[in-house]
PDB file of all heavy atoms in Angstrom:
ATOM      1  N   VAL A  85     -18.199   2.316  57.493  1.00 94.00           N
ATOM      2  CA  VAL A  85     -19.580   2.462  57.541  1.00 94.00           C
ATOM      3  C   VAL A  85     -20.268   1.475  58.407  1.00 94.00           C
ATOM      4  O   VAL A  85     -21.168   1.770  59.221  1.00 94.00           O
ATOM      5  CB  VAL A  85     -20.218   2.505  56.085  1.00 94.00           C
ATOM      6  CG1 VAL A  85     -21.709   2.428  56.193  1.00 94.00           C
ATOM      7  CG2 VAL A  85     -19.727   3.659  55.298  1.00 94.00           C
ATOM      8  N   GLY A  86     -19.814   0.187  58.313  1.00 93.00           N
ATOM      9  CA  GLY A  86     -20.384  -0.847  59.205  1.00 93.00           C
ATOM     10  C   GLY A  86     -20.110  -0.587  60.641  1.00 93.00           C
ATOM     11  O   GLY A  86     -21.019  -0.736  61.444  1.00 93.00           O
ATOM     12  N   ALA A  87     -18.893  -0.082  60.952  1.00 91.00           N
ATOM     13  CA  ALA A  87     -18.601   0.134  62.335  1.00 91.00           C
ATOM     14  C   ALA A  87     -19.416   1.301  62.966  1.00 91.00           C
ATOM     15  O   ALA A  87     -19.715   1.318  64.098  1.00 91.00           O
ATOM     16  CB  ALA A  87     -17.090   0.478  62.545  1.00 91.00           C
ATOM     17  N   VAL A  88     -19.699   2.314  62.035  1.00 90.00           N
ATOM     18  CA  VAL A  88     -20.407   3.473  62.539  1.00 90.00           C
ATOM     19  C   VAL A  88     -21.944   3.114  62.613  1.00 90.00           C
ATOM     20  O   VAL A  88     -22.610   3.401  63.647  1.00 90.00           O
ATOM     21  CB  VAL A  88     -20.293   4.659  61.594  1.00 90.00           C
ATOM     22  CG1 VAL A  88     -21.225   5.803  62.025  1.00 90.00           C
ATOM     23  CG2 VAL A  88     -18.796   5.161  61.671  1.00 90.00           C
ATOM     24  N   THR A  89     -22.472   2.487  61.609  1.00 90.00           N
ATOM     25  CA  THR A  89     -23.954   2.223  61.581  1.00 90.00           C
ATOM     26  C   THR A  89     -24.317   1.245  62.607  1.00 90.00           C
ATOM     27  O   THR A  89     -25.528   1.195  63.062  1.00 90.00           O
ATOM     28  CB  THR A  89     -24.411   1.808  60.158  1.00 90.00           C
ATOM     29  OG1 THR A  89     -23.551   0.690  59.815  1.00 90.00           O
ATOM     30  CG2 THR A  89     -24.178   2.943  59.177  1.00 90.00           C
ATOM     31  N   VAL A  90     -23.435   0.298  62.998  1.00 88.00           N
ATOM     32  CA  VAL A  90     -23.889  -0.696  63.931  1.00 88.00           C
ATOM     33  C   VAL A  90     -24.113  -0.056  65.334  1.00 88.00           C
ATOM     34  O   VAL A  90     -24.983  -0.568  66.086  1.00 88.00           O
ATOM     35  CB  VAL A  90     -22.707  -1.766  64.088  1.00 88.00           C
ATOM     36  CG1 VAL A  90     -21.509  -1.185  64.866  1.00 88.00           C
ATOM     37  CG2 VAL A  90     -23.291  -3.031  64.839  1.00 88.00           C
ATOM     38  N   VAL A  91     -23.451   1.064  65.593  1.00 84.00           N
ATOM     39  CA  VAL A  91     -23.774   1.760  66.900  1.00 84.00           C
ATOM     40  C   VAL A  91     -25.156   2.404  66.805  1.00 84.00           C
ATOM     41  O   VAL A  91     -25.879   2.308  67.783  1.00 84.00           O
ATOM     42  CB  VAL A  91     -22.648   2.872  67.122  1.00 84.00           C
ATOM     43  CG1 VAL A  91     -23.026   3.700  68.327  1.00 84.00           C
ATOM     44  CG2 VAL A  91     -21.286   2.249  67.257  1.00 84.00           C
ATOM     45  N   TYR A  92     -25.494   2.952  65.702  1.00 84.00           N
ATOM     46  CA  TYR A  92     -26.819   3.625  65.587  1.00 84.00           C
ATOM     47  C   TYR A  92     -27.927   2.562  65.511  1.00 84.00           C
ATOM     48  O   TYR A  92     -29.023   2.679  66.133  1.00 84.00           O
ATOM     49  CB  TYR A  92     -26.871   4.470  64.326  1.00 84.00           C
ATOM     50  CG  TYR A  92     -26.147   5.766  64.482  1.00 84.00           C
ATOM     51  CD1 TYR A  92     -24.759   5.851  64.267  1.00 84.00           C
ATOM     52  CD2 TYR A  92     -26.799   6.937  64.850  1.00 84.00           C
ATOM     53  CE1 TYR A  92     -24.053   7.065  64.393  1.00 84.00           C
ATOM     54  CE2 TYR A  92     -26.109   8.132  65.018  1.00 84.00           C
ATOM     55  CZ  TYR A  92     -24.787   8.206  64.762  1.00 84.00           C
ATOM     56  OH  TYR A  92     -24.048   9.390  64.898  1.00 84.00           O
ATOM     57  N   VAL A  93     -27.727   1.532  64.739  1.00 83.00           N
ATOM     58  CA  VAL A  93     -28.759   0.486  64.514  1.00 83.00           C
ATOM     59  C   VAL A  93     -28.813  -0.394  65.755  1.00 83.00           C
ATOM     60  O   VAL A  93     -29.930  -0.816  66.168  1.00 83.00           O
ATOM     61  CB  VAL A  93     -28.515  -0.386  63.279  1.00 83.00           C
ATOM     62  CG1 VAL A  93     -29.453  -1.559  63.188  1.00 83.00           C
ATOM     63  CG2 VAL A  93     -28.510   0.434  62.063  1.00 83.00           C
ATOM     64  N   GLY A  94     -27.679  -0.689  66.392  1.00 70.00           N
ATOM     65  CA  GLY A  94     -27.690  -1.612  67.464  1.00 70.00           C
ATOM     66  C   GLY A  94     -28.081  -1.037  68.821  1.00 70.00           C
ATOM     67  O   GLY A  94     -28.207  -1.718  69.806  1.00 70.00           O
ATOM     68  N   GLY A  95     -28.254   0.282  68.857  1.00 61.00           N
ATOM     69  CA  GLY A  95     -28.759   0.774  70.156  1.00 61.00           C
ATOM     70  C   GLY A  95     -27.791   1.576  70.939  1.00 61.00           C
ATOM     71  O   GLY A  95     -28.038   1.838  72.151  1.00 61.00           O
ATOM     72  N   GLY A  96     -26.660   1.906  70.489  1.00 63.00           N
ATOM     73  CA  GLY A  96     -25.786   2.769  71.211  1.00 63.00           C
ATOM     74  C   GLY A  96     -24.405   2.321  71.431  1.00 63.00           C
ATOM     75  O   GLY A  96     -23.842   1.516  70.710  1.00 63.00           O
ATOM     76  N   ILE A  97     -23.793   2.821  72.541  1.00 67.00           N
ATOM     77  CA  ILE A  97     -22.396   2.607  72.791  1.00 67.00           C
ATOM     78  C   ILE A  97     -21.968   1.249  73.194  1.00 67.00           C
ATOM     79  O   ILE A  97     -20.786   0.940  73.232  1.00 67.00           O
ATOM     80  CB  ILE A  97     -21.906   3.675  73.900  1.00 67.00           C
ATOM     81  CG1 ILE A  97     -22.656   3.374  75.189  1.00 67.00           C
ATOM     82  CG2 ILE A  97     -22.139   5.099  73.445  1.00 67.00           C
ATOM     83  CD1 ILE A  97     -22.156   4.210  76.386  1.00 67.00           C
ATOM     84  N   ASP A  98     -22.937   0.342  73.431  1.00 71.00           N
ATOM     85  CA  ASP A  98     -22.588  -0.975  73.810  1.00 71.00           C
ATOM     86  C   ASP A  98     -21.881  -1.677  72.596  1.00 71.00           C
ATOM     87  O   ASP A  98     -21.168  -2.683  72.846  1.00 71.00           O
ATOM     88  CB  ASP A  98     -23.817  -1.788  74.165  1.00 71.00           C
ATOM     89  CG  ASP A  98     -24.421  -1.330  75.501  1.00 71.00           C
ATOM     90  OD1 ASP A  98     -23.696  -0.727  76.326  1.00 71.00           O
ATOM     91  OD2 ASP A  98     -25.589  -1.617  75.749  1.00 71.00           O
ATOM     92  N   HIS A  99     -22.077  -1.147  71.375  1.00 78.00           N
ATOM     93  CA  HIS A  99     -21.445  -1.765  70.301  1.00 78.00           C
ATOM     94  C   HIS A  99     -20.275  -0.998  69.724  1.00 78.00           C
ATOM     95  O   HIS A  99     -19.852  -1.143  68.614  1.00 78.00           O
ATOM     96  CB  HIS A  99     -22.520  -1.907  69.146  1.00 78.00           C
ATOM     97  CG  HIS A  99     -23.695  -2.758  69.543  1.00 78.00           C
ATOM     98  ND1 HIS A  99     -23.627  -4.136  69.590  1.00 78.00           N
ATOM     99  CD2 HIS A  99     -24.921  -2.410  69.854  1.00 78.00           C
ATOM    100  CE1 HIS A  99     -24.847  -4.560  69.973  1.00 78.00           C
ATOM    101  NE2 HIS A  99     -25.626  -3.603  70.163  1.00 78.00           N
ATOM    102  N   PHE A 100     -19.686  -0.160  70.599  1.00 80.00           N
ATOM    103  CA  PHE A 100     -18.572   0.674  70.170  1.00 80.00           C
ATOM    104  C   PHE A 100     -17.328  -0.158  69.816  1.00 80.00           C
ATOM    105  O   PHE A 100     -16.524   0.212  69.003  1.00 80.00           O
ATOM    106  CB  PHE A 100     -18.245   1.577  71.355  1.00 80.00           C
ATOM    107  CG  PHE A 100     -16.916   2.338  71.190  1.00 80.00           C
ATOM    108  CD1 PHE A 100     -16.785   3.324  70.185  1.00 80.00           C
ATOM    109  CD2 PHE A 100     -15.835   2.022  71.928  1.00 80.00           C
ATOM    110  CE1 PHE A 100     -15.621   3.958  69.999  1.00 80.00           C
ATOM    111  CE2 PHE A 100     -14.612   2.642  71.799  1.00 80.00           C
ATOM    112  CZ  PHE A 100     -14.507   3.657  70.817  1.00 80.00           C
ATOM    113  N   TYR A 101     -17.208  -1.375  70.389  1.00 82.00           N
ATOM    114  CA  TYR A 101     -15.998  -2.209  70.151  1.00 82.00           C
ATOM    115  C   TYR A 101     -15.821  -2.523  68.690  1.00 82.00           C
ATOM    116  O   TYR A 101     -14.799  -2.901  68.271  1.00 82.00           O
ATOM    117  CB  TYR A 101     -16.153  -3.461  70.978  1.00 82.00           C
ATOM    118  CG  TYR A 101     -17.467  -4.240  70.869  1.00 82.00           C
ATOM    119  CD1 TYR A 101     -17.723  -5.064  69.820  1.00 82.00           C
ATOM    120  CD2 TYR A 101     -18.411  -4.102  71.877  1.00 82.00           C
ATOM    121  CE1 TYR A 101     -18.877  -5.716  69.706  1.00 82.00           C
ATOM    122  CE2 TYR A 101     -19.603  -4.812  71.854  1.00 82.00           C
ATOM    123  CZ  TYR A 101     -19.857  -5.582  70.715  1.00 82.00           C
ATOM    124  OH  TYR A 101     -21.002  -6.273  70.634  1.00 82.00           O
ATOM    125  N   TRP A 102     -16.880  -2.415  67.842  1.00 86.00           N
ATOM    126  CA  TRP A 102     -16.787  -2.715  66.483  1.00 86.00           C
ATOM    127  C   TRP A 102     -15.922  -1.649  65.711  1.00 86.00           C
ATOM    128  O   TRP A 102     -15.445  -1.832  64.611  1.00 86.00           O
ATOM    129  CB  TRP A 102     -18.125  -2.789  65.786  1.00 86.00           C
ATOM    130  CG  TRP A 102     -18.844  -4.102  66.064  1.00 86.00           C
ATOM    131  CD1 TRP A 102     -19.943  -4.259  66.863  1.00 86.00           C
ATOM    132  CD2 TRP A 102     -18.496  -5.411  65.541  1.00 86.00           C
ATOM    133  NE1 TRP A 102     -20.298  -5.604  66.862  1.00 86.00           N
ATOM    134  CE2 TRP A 102     -19.484  -6.352  66.063  1.00 86.00           C
ATOM    135  CE3 TRP A 102     -17.526  -5.831  64.687  1.00 86.00           C
ATOM    136  CZ2 TRP A 102     -19.391  -7.690  65.800  1.00 86.00           C
ATOM    137  CZ3 TRP A 102     -17.488  -7.227  64.405  1.00 86.00           C
ATOM    138  CH2 TRP A 102     -18.397  -8.121  64.929  1.00 86.00           C
TER     139      TRP A 102
END
Side-chain angles (χ1 to χ4, degrees):
V85 170
V88 172
T89 54
V90 74
V91 173
Y92 284 86
V93 175
I97 61 175
D98 290 341
H99 300 284
F100 169 70
Y101 49 79
W102 284 108

